[in-house]
Amino acid sequence: MKSRARGRTTALVVALGLAAGCATAPPRAARPPVPDVGLLGWQALAEGRGGEAGRLFESALAGAPSSASAVLSRFGRATLSYERGESGRALEDYAALLLALPAVTDRPLRQALAPVAAARVLALYDEVGFAAQVQIAQRLQPVELARSPELPWLARVELARLGDHIARQAADADALARVAAEDGCASVMFEVGSLGPFPHLDLDRPATEAKILPERAWRPLSASGCHLDAPLTADGRGEARILRAAVEVGAGAYDIVLELDGEARLSVDGGPWVSHGRATGYGPRFSASRVVLGAGRHQLTVRTASNAGQTRLGLWVLPGAAGSPARFVDPRAAGAPVAGAPGPVAPSAVRAADLETAGVGGRALAAYCAAFAADRMGAIDGLAVALERLQAWPRFAAGLSLVGEIARHDPTRPATFARDAARRSLRAAVGADETLARAWQSLAEVELEDDRPRDAIDDARRALHAAPAWWPPELLLARALAARGLDVDADRALAEVAQRTGVEAALSAGASPSSAPCAVIEALRGQARERQQIARGDQLSVALRGCGGDLDVRVDRARARGETAEAIALLRAALRIDPDRDDLAADLALMLAESGPTGQDLNELAALV
């Protein structure tokens, strides 16, 4: 009995001691927050675990489409699909992402992802057939989406470009003008004078020294959608030009975006000059200025350092809040401008600090988006920093593939050096992940540009092995085989493309191959012309009408068949889309002289002169 009592006493003492110890022990540290699944997927991607990243992205997509995790995961899945040659799936994901982003409350996330998604939609649009293009255009409505103030200005410009591209493809001049009007593109602009014959030295001369022409002598810029072309100078040399436009807006904040390969200055209502580009360096090609404008008419003045030849530029006025788009009007019209206060606005690329605290996944995502946006804007200095950050992850295959793509078109290096740099990065990308069909495809293109068709053939076959359903490697393989003189093998590769994309089945059934991309139809038509297969060539030419362009061939065919009225109508339609094509204007004048009403040819020739 005594031993039992002693045991109970000991147990009680131990229990009390444990209780006292628990009471006096310091509190446990709070558990760290559970990492976002989307960011975990990007961390896996940066560390070379592509399969795990794909599974994490898929698991997070079951949530709300506008949640941060779902947005990150959809962007990650689209990136993987893009790199693996799954064009249709990537296009669907990027389009869905763009539709979901305006509702995302995380502004840095919107700023980072939207420009990449919009540019990728524009790039992938031509990789799918006409039927898929129609579905994407109807679902995305790029012209309307470009007016969303929740999206950064770079994404809105990319969406406006997509709307412009769709209208040009349909050869619809009215739709092209509507895109420009609804998306805030400048459609009316004049050259009003000159600052001197030295483009860069005279750019900052005082306004009192400028040679301003009388209004009746102002020279209109040629407008085609969101493109403006300044006419050639009288002596064909470069000079510092003064361009002027006017815009009517409601009261509020606006982003004024200027696109120009060169140096320029922008002023609103005679306010301070905002610089664009540099005299001694490259880029940026795009710049944006945030201005607060009162309701009414405002004057925009652009000084450009124009070299010899034609000067092409773009100008957008994008509202910072929902409402009516800015409307460009004739700057010669009466109306007192309302004072504005322009100032520079930061580019919409994500900053490293925005995602710096989100771990490896956040830093990798930030570097990827920053490099992409800097490349699209032509911001060479910022691009160099972003590329260095991307290369810090030697297993980040998608990031290295992006580095290689950017290096191919680096304007700061000679072409051979740029190709060598691209080759190194692309080889590193496929070394980290051999399933990246697009990196293999880019490698094959680099080798073909470098006159190495044998290496191009090998890389194209690896791309085809990585993505058997993707058509670009087969088309590139046909080109590389033809470059080596292996015509039979090249024809076999083209036949495989025609079979894979459904062209042969459609032509055999007498239908239009609407599921085939335009590049495939164009390649097959070129083969038919070489073989003198007239009936097949005509079928493929009809199929190409939905792709836009192809005008020269259609005009030649109409003239060869004696269909002069058809040829004249084609030329007139083309000049509405692209009014600066002097060769088309000359052809039209000659055809009118041959068969048109008297005097029309003289009118066309006079306009051309």
Side-chain angles (χ1 to χ4, degrees):
M1 293 293 292
K2 291 182 179 179
S3 61
R4 289 182 182 178
R6 191 180 299 112
R8 291 194 193 98
T9 304
T10 303
L12 181 60
V13 170
V14 170
L16 289 173
L18 288 174
C22 292
T24 58
R28 291 183 180 180
R31 290 184 178 181
V34 178
D36 182 273
V37 177
L39 288 176
L40 286 176
W42 274 93
Q43 179 175 345
L45 209 58
E47 294 173 352
R49 295 177 280 117
E52 181 183 344
R55 291 189 292 273
L56 287 168
F57 293 147
E58 292 289 348
S59 67
L61 285 173
S66 60
S67 67
S69 183
V71 164
L72 284 168
S73 298
R74 188 170 297 279
F75 184 72
R77 189 175 76 172
T79 301
L80 282 174
S81 299
Y82 174 81
E83 294 294 346
R84 291 173 178 171
E86 300 169 354
S87 302
R89 187 182 187 188
L91 188 57
E92 287 286 338
D93 273 340
Y94 281 127
L97 181 66
L98 283 170
L99 291 172
L101 278 174
V104 174
T105 56
D106 190 339
R107 185 175 181 274
L109 202 57
R110 291 200 313 267
Q111 298 284 90
L113 304 187
V116 185
R120 285 275 167 82
V121 168
L122 180 57
L124 290 167
Y125 187 80
D126 290 329
E127 289 192 12
V128 298
F130 181 71
Q133 289 177 346
V134 171
Q135 292 177 358
I136 286 294
Q138 290 177 347
R139 179 185 176 191
L140 191 59
Q141 297 292 320
V143 178
E144 289 75 13
L145 189 58
R147 297 202 299 267
S148 173
E150 287 79 16
L151 296 178
W153 63 262
L154 183 56
R156 296 169 71 177
V157 168
E158 296 286 4
L159 287 167
R161 284 174 143 188
L162 176 59
D164 186 289
H165 178 67
I166 293 172
R168 289 179 189 278
Q169 193 178 57
D172 190 339
D174 294 332
L176 193 62
R178 187 168 58 253
V179 168
E182 293 183 8
D183 286 342
C185 303
S187 55
V188 183
M189 200 170 193
F190 289 85
E191 180 185 357
V192 303
S194 170
L195 289 159
F198 302 105
H200 299 284
L201 294 177
D202 292 334
L203 195 60
D204 293 312
R205 292 180 70 175
T208 54
E209 299 180 14
K211 299 177 181 177
I212 303 297
L213 300 171
E215 282 191 4
R216 64 180 181 277
W218 286 9
R219 305 171 70 193
L221 273 65
S222 176
S224 175
C226 291
H227 298 154
L228 292 165
D229 290 292
L232 298 173
T233 58
D235 57 4
R237 299 179 181 178
E239 66 177 357
R241 298 183 174 190
I242 304 174
L243 310 177
R244 189 165 293 168
V247 63
E248 290 183 351
V249 298
Y254 291 83
D255 285 329
I256 301 179
V257 182
L258 179 63
E259 178 190 11
L260 178 69
D261 278 326
E263 195 181 7
R265 304 287 184 268
L266 169 69
S267 173
V268 180
D269 296 332
W273 294 100
V274 179
S275 296
H276 170 95
R278 294 176 295 173
T280 58
Y282 291 93
R285 189 174 63 257
F286 281 95
S287 64
S289 297
R290 172 59 60 97
V291 294
V292 178
L293 302 175
R297 180 173 173 269
H298 298 268
Q299 180 177 280
L300 307 179
T301 303
V302 179
R303 293 179 170 188
T304 63
S306 301
N307 296 320
Q310 205 164 39
T311 300
R312 167 160 288 193
L313 67 150
L315 184 65
W316 289 263
V317 176
L318 306 175
S324 300
R327 187 171 70 92
F328 280 87
V329 297
D330 193 329
R332 299 169 298 183
V338 182
V345 64
S348 63
V350 67
R351 294 175 297 278
D354 291 329
L355 294 171
E356 195 66 35
T357 59
V360 174
R363 292 195 298 273
L365 173 64
Y368 187 90
C369 295
F372 190 98
D375 179 57
R376 298 297 290 185
M377 291 187 294
I380 300 300
D381 293 341
L383 178 60
V385 174
L387 292 181
E388 285 182 5
R389 295 185 64 219
L390 271 182
Q391 292 170 331
W393 291 281
R395 304 294 301 170
F396 189 11
L400 294 172
S401 178
L402 177 63
V403 172
E405 280 296 317
I406 292 173
R408 285 181 63 189
H409 312 290
D410 187 350
T412 66
R413 296 177 177 178
T416 54
F417 291 3
R419 287 194 292 268
D420 288 342
R423 187 182 290 110
R424 287 193 297 272
S425 295
L426 292 169
R427 290 285 178 199
V430 296
D433 187 352
E434 61 181 10
T435 67
L436 299 192
R438 195 171 295 271
W440 285 117
Q441 170 80 359
S442 298
L443 265 174
E445 291 173 352
V446 168
E447 303 295 5
L448 201 56
E449 291 168 3
D450 229 1
D451 294 327
R452 298 177 179 178
R454 179 177 296 179
D455 294 333
I457 291 170
D458 292 340
D459 291 335
R461 283 175 173 158
R462 291 188 182 101
L464 193 59
H465 177 74
W470 195 34
W471 60 267
E474 197 82 66
L475 203 59
L476 183 61
L477 182 60
R479 286 174 49 206
L481 289 167
R484 290 204 67 199
L486 304 173
D487 294 336
V488 174
D489 293 330
D491 290 343
R492 189 181 298 116
L494 273 180
E496 185 66 29
V497 173
Q499 196 70 33
R500 182 181 290 113
T501 56
V503 176
E504 285 301 335
L507 293 180
S508 300
S512 177
S514 60
S515 62
C518 296
V520 175
I521 301 174
E522 176 64 40
L524 292 171
R525 192 196 62 176
Q527 183 191 53
R529 291 179 64 189
E530 290 178 1
R531 295 179 173 182
Q532 300 297 317
Q533 297 172 335
I534 298 175
R536 180 181 173 86
D538 287 345
Q539 281 182 294
L540 292 167
S541 294
V542 171
L544 273 175
R545 290 182 181 179
C547 299
D550 192 41
L551 181 75
D552 298 333
V553 175
R554 293 168 64 187
V555 169
D556 290 343
R557 187 169 64 250
R559 295 182 71 172
R561 294 178 176 180
E563 300 170 351
T564 307
E566 172 73 9
I568 290 174
L570 286 171
L571 287 170
R572 288 193 185 280
L575 283 169
R576 289 188 65 199
I577 295 290
D578 206 349
D580 278 337
R581 287 283 301 274
D582 291 344
D583 57 330
L584 299 182
D587 287 345
L588 178 59
L590 290 174
M591 295 191 70
L592 289 171
E594 294 172 2
S595 60
T598 303
Q600 285 194 12
D601 56 330
L602 294 179
N603 293 337
E604 295 294 337
L605 286 172
L608 181 61
V609 171

